[in-house]
Amino acid sequence: MEKHLICIMCPMGCNLTVKEENGEISVTGNGCNRGVVFAKEELTCPKRIVTTSVKTKNGVKACKTTAPIPKNLMFDCVKEIEKLRLKDAKFGQIIIKNVLGTGADVIVTANE
Amino acid sequence: MVTDVVVIGGGPAGMSAALSASRTGAKVTLVERDEVLGGILNQCIHNGFGLHFFHEELTGPEFAYRFRKMVEGDKNIKVLTSTLVTKIEDKKVEFMGKNGVQEIAAKAVVLAMGCRERTAGNISLCGTRPAGIVTAGVAQKMVNIDGKMVGKDIVILGSGDIGLIMARRLTLEGAKVHAVFEINSTSSGLRRNIMQCLEDFDIPLFFNTTIFEVVGKDRVEGVFYGQVDENFRPIESTRKFLKCDTVVLSVGLVPEMYIAPNATICKTTGGAVVNEFYQTDKEWLFSCGNILHVHDLVDNVAIEAEQAGEFAGLFTLGKLPEHSKTLFVQAGEGVSYVLPYSLFEGQGKVTLKLRLKEKVVRKTLVAKCGANILGKKFILAGVPGEMMSFEIEKNGATDKIVVGIE
């Protein structure tokens, strides 16, 4: 099996070719080792960092997951964040610990 | 008020330029029209920033936060927020702020005001002008800063990065993004954004396709769209209707030069013409970041502005290297522009920045002075949407330098 992917680990966007033979995954076209990690994960369990906003008393504040979470949980993660109404939100503050059991926290990223 | 360097614009370019100018020993005043430093980064809540500059993946507001803390911790930099520059003339900057209209006399001015989005008017979008036509950046501000949705059924015109980012953002917020139309045959956005913003959410991207006409009286009701020929003219036989309530425009950015003094402008970039010290044709006026030429990555903006700020600082202290003979740099075959527009004769390496005219595969970029080759770079795959840097050797150049594809 051969698959073509674009690496999303950095803005370089390397064109990756991933081959799977006898359970062995090989990656070519990567500019650095993060491309190999990305390609292997993309075939087994694709993950993404989720960035969205959380409601506060006066409006909304930007937030993100501290690590990539499984792609199929992105919408559920946004729903979890939508349930919150924060009184106050400081830069870097954890607003959900271990969101959906993924191991990633959700933190406030707004520049204030 | 008196200072050495006035930096106009408190986004990534302005903050970076202010910090490096201050490091030279110059006194700096940084002027920002918004209440908080950070510029457009504050609304770019997605990740992917900082990998080159901070060696860490950050979101826009986090990138801005780090810079803001450095600026606020620098005693040589005076920050004026909620302050709008109204005039720049003969090293004097007039502004309107908390204490009314005032003026600062400076020894150098750095333009770092970034760029503006092209609007429906700029691209002569046909049809009516109901509510629901917004630029991608405005949509981004509404959703990420004001917490308001722009619509439910979205069509995006143009595949620039902000448009792609907004396709994902609006989808996560519960809207249905029906399609992205791109009039060109390639996207001007980064490849990774096409993958993680469109493919991840099964949003179709149509090339050589545009909106023929917007329909709707009070609110957008839909668009007629279809394919274009090689001269970008609509092919009427391909005309189709798509129901939607919102049209998001991501159709390019233009340097925000309207406040700048009469500096010579490059027709391709829309920014000032600068030499290798980022000086415009007025030696006290410097330019960097998106007001000079539109970048793809904030990291590149920060790096460029860091250099420009340092040169501006050195200039005010009389420490800028002597100007030797000017060597003009010209965009040759397949290259739309090269920056800087001129170098000074001398030794050493210099990094040029350029954009290609069209997609190239397995070609070589060459910088030449007459028959003398100053640098070569192999391009595996290059597109106009991605800015390239190209290191060349100045040594041996005595006249005009031409950079082109061979």
Side-chain angles (χ1 to χ4, degrees), chain B residues 110-143:
Chain B
V110 180
L111 304 174
M113 294 95 101
C115 55
R116 252 171 201 270
E117 289 179 286
R118 294 174 77 204
T119 61
N122 289 138
I123 59 161
S124 306
L125 186 67
C126 292
T128 54
R129 286 290 182 274
I133 305 175
V134 288
T135 60
V138 167
Q140 192 176 44
K141 181 164 190 288
M142 283 177 72
V143 175

Side-chain angles (χ1 to χ4, degrees), chain A residues 8 15 48 64 71 111, chain B residues 37 42 68 191-192 200:
Chain A
I8 62 168
N15 286 300
R48 300 286 184 265
K64 71 167 185 182
K71 206 163 105 172
N111 167 32
Chain B
L37 293 176
N42 291 334
R68 180 166 66 86
R191 283 171 286 185
R192 74 193 289 254
D200 270 5

